[in-house]
Amino acid sequence: MSAAFDRAMMQRCLELARTAIGRTAPNPMVGCVIVADEEIVGEGFHPKAGEPHAEVFALRQAGARSQGATLYVNLEPCNHHGRTPPCSEAVVEAGIRRVVVGMVDPNPKVAGSGIATLKQAGIEVSVGVEEADCQTLNEAFVHRILRHRPFGILKYAMTLDGKIAATSGHSSWVTGEASRHRVHQLRTMCDAIVIGGNTVRNDNPQLTTHGLSQHQPLRVVMSRTLNLPLKANLWNTESASTIVFTQLNADQAVQTNLIQQGVEVVNLEELTPDAVMMQLYDRGLNTVLWECGGILAAQAIAQGCVQKIWAFVAPKIIGGSDAPTPIGNLGLEKMTDAIQLVRVRWQTIESDLLIEGYLGGNG
């Protein structure tokens, strides 16, 4: 089969993998395609943790036509017994002749051993087809495995003069409707959204996907003193779960009220972005979206909790020396100290601009 055909089939694997976007944590997103005589005879994707892996679904669909076929998968087949049996053994038993792998699994439990098992069984293995796209799709999973923390994305919307709200605190809306729709799409990819108490008080957000997905990310509020309203959209936990992280000895009456409304309250010895990310890692999350104000955003960046930026810029000027900005004080005093974004992408969304990039040395 040609290199172009291999690339096309790997892109189909990525397309299948994205079907489960936002639902696989702590597992990666994986798609699989089985081809016999240049015809797709089996396809599958991993729907969520605890369910069979992509290869199992594809092999079931292909049935006897797996014999002598080529299997494409965007992530190395697993080689260990977890909640499901090893996929590498299932591939060997099915009589697959060739396997094309997008990227090696960074998980130490796999890390090349799946590929080795396939080769030992006499299967031809090609590795690294469309690898950059495969890495990008599962960048959060890779970060979680290597850094033992979820992957953090900081999203904000600002005016052309760098303000996220007017001096009064009014912020609805900085960007246009199309940009807000893109944010709802971004939320479908995430396992949790983090904000601070100011955002609850000022904006009373819902932090949902607004009907774009049945999956709703966990809504996370950080509040040291629990100076929070007793009624808020986030306390309606029928549509999405909410957890409030606070410090020890915070307002007990507010805690009781929140718990009665179905909100989980967690008391930490020290409330910091890193402590919250550790908690979210322990809960099996891959991707965390920070939609907070500037002070908390600066803390999250300083503590290495943000790897990627989504900055929406609206062609508006609001002015005001005291108007809030997206990122507070980082203690950087020279322009040469500025954190440089790398692998930057720009795109226009109607009249707004979206800038995506990774924090240099922090990705």
Side-chain angles (χ1 to χ4, degrees):
M1 293 180 190
S2 69
F5 185 86
D6 283 351
R7 289 196 298 272
M9 291 301 98
M10 190 58 67
Q11 287 296 335
R12 176 59 183 158
C13 289
L14 295 173
E15 189 180 334
L16 288 163
R18 288 188 195 99
T19 308
I21 200 161
R23 298 194 293 273
T24 62
N27 291 354
M29 290 175 278
V30 183
C32 180
V33 174
I34 297 173
V35 173
D37 301 320
E38 297 201 1
E39 176 193 349
I40 294 176
V41 295
E43 290 186 332
F45 65 90
H46 176 51
K48 64 178 182 178
E51 294 285 319
H53 291 183
E55 297 93 326
V56 173
F57 288 109
L59 288 167
R60 280 180 190 166
Q61 192 178 98
R65 296 196 69 181
S66 297
Q67 193 74 34
T70 298
L71 182 146
Y72 296 85
V73 64
N74 59 292
L75 185 72
E76 174 185 8
C78 67
N79 198 49
H80 62 287
H81 285 271
R83 288 199 244 182
T84 56
C87 289
S88 55
E89 292 180 10
V91 171
V92 171
E93 289 169 8
I96 293 288
R97 181 187 61 82
R98 177 176 178 245
V99 173
V100 180
V101 175
M103 62 176 277
V104 174
D105 192 331
N107 189 337
K109 292 179 180 176
V110 187
S113 64
I115 291 168
T117 295
L118 299 176
K119 287 181 175 178
Q120 286 164 9
I123 295 173
E124 178 191 343
V125 182
S126 301
V127 182
V129 174
E130 301 291 83
E131 184 171 10
D133 286 354
C134 294
Q135 290 278 358
T136 298
L137 178 72
N138 278 309
E139 61 188 4
F141 167 74
V142 172
H143 181 85
R144 175 187 168 80
I145 289 291
L146 299 180
R147 306 291 177 86
H148 304 288
R149 289 289 188 281
F151 183 81
I153 302 172
L154 172 62
K155 185 282 302 179
Y156 58 83
M158 70 179 189
T159 59
L160 204 54
D161 55 338
K163 311 297 183 182
I164 59 173
T167 51
S168 66
H170 184 262
S171 60
S172 301
W173 295 99
V174 175
T175 53
E177 193 173 331
S179 291
R180 298 198 296 276
H181 182 75
R182 182 63 65 88
V183 172
H184 300 154
Q185 289 178 323
L186 173 60
R187 289 175 182 171
T188 68
M189 302 160 46
C190 298
D191 303 309
I193 304 171
V194 183
I195 61 170
N198 272 338
T199 304
V200 180
R201 289 186 291 270
N202 295 338
D203 299 345
N204 191 22
Q206 296 185 51
L207 302 185
T208 66
T209 60
H210 289 257
L212 292 184
S213 171
Q214 290 183 332
H215 158 70
Q216 299 294 346
L218 174 68
R219 303 177 300 188
V220 177
V221 178
M222 293 177 61
S223 175
R224 278 195 174 83
T225 62
L226 287 186
N227 176 22
L228 299 170
L230 297 182
K231 294 295 177 185
N233 289 326
L234 293 181
W235 313 154
N236 177 8
T237 55
E238 289 182 12
S239 58
S241 299
T242 302
I243 180 168
V244 174
F245 288 102
T246 188
Q247 293 204 157
L248 297 174
N249 305 316
D251 193 311
Q252 193 60 52
V254 175
Q255 287 200 51
T256 302
N257 179 280
L258 292 175
I259 292 167
Q260 286 173 346
Q261 294 185 73
V263 176
E264 183 181 354
V265 180
V266 174
N267 292 265
L268 300 177
E269 195 166 324
E270 186 178 8
L271 183 64
T272 64
D274 186 56
V276 167
M277 286 296 250
M278 188 184 302
Q279 290 275 330
L280 298 180
Y281 171 81
D282 289 342
R283 289 167 184 256
L285 276 57
N286 281 347
T287 309
V288 172
L289 181 61
W290 294 81
E291 289 199 34
C292 51
I295 295 172
L296 185 52
Q299 293 172 352
I301 290 171
Q303 293 179 23
C305 299
V306 173
Q307 283 64 54
K308 191 174 187 178
I309 302 287
W310 274 50
F312 292 86
V313 184
K316 299 176 181 176
I317 295 173
I318 190 69
S321 57
D322 296 327
T325 58
I327 298 168
N329 187 12
L330 287 168
L332 308 177
E333 297 183 356
K334 299 176 184 174
M335 193 54 69
T336 48
D337 295 333
I339 299 170
Q340 184 75 40
L341 293 191
V342 297
R343 288 181 283 152
V344 177
R345 288 176 49 197
W346 307 66
Q347 59 180 297
T348 54
I349 303 174
E350 292 184 349
S351 62
D352 298 327
L353 180 67
L354 169 59
I355 304 167
E356 293 178 60
Y358 297 83
L359 298 190
N362 198 22

